[in-house]
Amino acid sequence: MRLFLSSYRFGAHYHRLAALVGEPGRVAVIPNACDAWPEVWAGAVTSDTVPLRKLGYTPETLDLRDYIGCATELEQTLADYPLVWVRGGNTFVLRAQFARSGADLVLRKLLAADTLVYAGYSAGACIMGPDLHGLDDMDDPAEVAPTCGVEPQWDGMGLVERRIVPHIDSATDPDGYGNRLAARYRAAGTPHWALTDDDVVVVDGDRIELLR
């Protein structure tokens, strides 16, 4: 299993993503964490595809809403990509869209078979943890029902054992939600990684690294 989990895009460690992926090729960009915000959806896609393209990748938008109830088709589609890029937004909305499309099951299967690399930042990283409890301090679970037509789920993908708190001391989080959540986790003794926008968690097989 190969995971590249960051607070913001590549962090300060793009070279580690490049090492996981190898030669740049096609990448499936999944922007569904932004589904509750249709007015910014297209711009959010562009903001990720442009830097990927500059690095030599061929980014292609993959909208999980096109695969609701079609997990087999989604698996066939994702199997053609060496890299999946899952951007930030609302973690609860992203979790709901993973469940509705079967992406949660499909990605577990493909990652276990080591057929692709999963790169996710902010919400795309947080969803890989054991659960989403506490993230409602940063993301609004109430956006799930009107956006996805289902109730929010509180389980994560469980592919890393610690929760991820993004945007520590970050200009992208001027109100300090990430810092406060990390402080709550520390006080409660909850295992977590508190990531600045430079930091990355890399999983490569059995090896897990926190890069500062």
Side-chain angles (χ1 to χ4, degrees):
M1 181 170 65
R2 290 170 290 164
L3 307 176
F4 182 90
L5 308 176
S6 68
S7 174
Y8 188 69
R9 293 187 182 152
F10 310 109
H13 303 281
Y14 168 70
H15 66 287
R16 291 305 303 275
L17 177 62
L20 289 176
V21 176
E23 189 70 21
R26 298 173 69 207
V27 50
V29 176
I30 296 179
N32 295 97
C34 295
D35 285 352
W37 317 318
E39 68 280 2
V40 303
W41 202 91
V45 172
T46 300
S47 71
D48 282 321
T49 56
V50 168
L52 286 165
R53 192 172 290 112
K54 287 180 177 178
L55 290 166
Y57 295 91
T58 304
E60 301 170 11
T61 303
L62 193 154
D63 188 344
L64 294 178
R65 292 173 294 187
D66 294 334
Y67 294 90
I68 302 302
C70 301
T72 300
E73 291 180 29
L74 179 61
E75 180 177 349
Q76 292 169 347
T77 299
L78 285 175
D80 289 334
Y81 290 95
L83 172 62
V84 173
W85 178 269
V86 185
R87 64 156 290 126
N90 186 316
T91 310
F92 295 95
V93 170
L94 181 63
R95 180 67 185 94
Q97 302 297 45
F98 267 37
R100 295 174 74 216
S101 63
D104 47 2
L105 303 178
V106 167
L107 285 170
R108 283 190 184 99
K109 180 178 179 180
L110 295 176
L111 286 165
D114 199 30
T115 64
L116 54 73
V117 175
Y118 179 101
Y121 74 88
S122 195
C126 292
I127 198 174
M128 289 288 113
D131 61 72
L132 309 185
H133 293 287
L135 289 172
D136 48 320
D137 286 355
M138 304 179 71
D139 298 335
D140 187 359
E143 291 185 330
V144 173
T147 301
C148 307
V150 297
E151 293 302 308
Q153 294 185 212
W154 293 84
D155 62 318
M157 292 279 286
L159 294 182
V160 293
E161 295 182 351
R162 298 187 181 202
R163 299 175 186 175
I164 291 177
V165 183
H167 309 309
I168 298 299
D169 299 328
S170 171
T172 65
D173 181 19
D175 295 318
Y177 292 114
N179 290 60
R180 290 200 294 273
L181 179 56
R184 280 182 51 201
Y185 284 162
R186 285 194 299 272
T190 302
H192 67 284
W193 288 296
L195 304 183
T196 72
D197 287 348
D198 284 341
D199 300 338
V200 176
V201 174
V202 173
V203 178
D204 188 2
D206 294 331
R207 186 179 182 185
I208 301 175
E209 294 179 85
L210 172 60
L211 306 180
R212 297 292 193 186

